[in-house]
Amino acid sequence: MKRRTFFAAVAAAGLTAAAGCTTTTTQPDVVDILAANDEFSTLVAAVGAADLAGTLKGDGPFTVFAPTNAAFEKLPAGTVESLLRPENRDQLASILTYHVVPGAVTSDQLAGQRLDVKTVQGTTVDVNGTHGVRVNNARVIQADVAGSNGVIHVIDSVLLPN
């Protein structure tokens, strides 16, 4: 019996050592997750136009309230096109960083809570987790999409800072 235990331990150690030599797949970051889903093509284009991809690919952790393409379509006609122009880059960056909160905040941490949360942009958003989760007037339609550097909550409206 002791012999089996010894060989099992040696085999397990060999597998562990072999696993260290193989390439491991890492979890994608928040930008890669959004870029891989066509539902966020407008958001991804905006992040690129505002030159924020490098920042959002950083260590984080971040909580990103990610508006879908349908959310951007709710804005007045011409708004997205105007924001994507180079001369409006600062305004676009301000809007996008208003969708990002430092730290990884999951929906279970928000459940039953009403909070004013400071965004990366510098002002606060009203998070209401008493009946589902709402951020200002946007409803979280999919929560807790985990990335290597944070978490994404999909929202149905674009957040606009005051």
Side-chain angles (χ1 to χ4, degrees):
M1 193 69 144
K2 288 181 183 178
R3 199 175 197 173
R4 275 193 202 143
T5 305
F6 171 76
F7 287 121
V10 169
L15 289 175
T16 303
C21 297
T22 61
T23 19
T24 57
T25 54
T26 59
Q27 187 176 23
D29 60 48
V30 294
V31 173
D32 291 340
I33 291 169
L34 295 170
N37 187 331
D38 289 340
E39 187 176 355
F40 300 105
S41 60
T42 304
L43 177 59
V44 170
V47 167
D51 199 25
L52 292 174
T55 301
L56 291 174
K57 288 177 98 31
D59 291 339
F62 306 106
T63 298
V64 178
F65 297 108
T68 62
N69 293 343
F72 279 99
E73 290 170 7
K74 291 181 182 179
L75 294 172
T79 302
V80 173
E81 294 77 11
S82 175
L83 288 170
L84 292 175
R85 291 188 192 124
E87 63 268 21
N88 295 326
R89 181 175 156 196
D90 290 343
Q91 182 184 9
L92 179 60
S94 177
I95 291 169
L96 293 175
T97 56
Y98 188 63
H99 288 78
V100 181
V101 173
V105 182
T106 56
S107 61
D108 62 328
Q109 294 170 305
L110 301 173
Q113 304 280 327
R114 278 200 75 137
L115 308 164
D116 283 324
V117 181
K118 189 170 184 177
T119 67
V120 171
Q121 183 254 8
T123 59
T124 61
V125 289
D126 174 48
V127 177
N128 183 343
T130 57
H131 299 288
V133 178
R134 294 188 78 77
V135 182
N136 292 351
N137 293 321
R139 187 172 54 90
V140 173
I141 55 176
Q142 182 181 0
D144 302 331
V145 179
S148 63
N149 64 345
V151 62
I152 299 167
H153 300 294
V154 181
I155 56 176
D156 66 353
S157 298
V158 176
L159 305 174
L160 298 172
N162 296 336

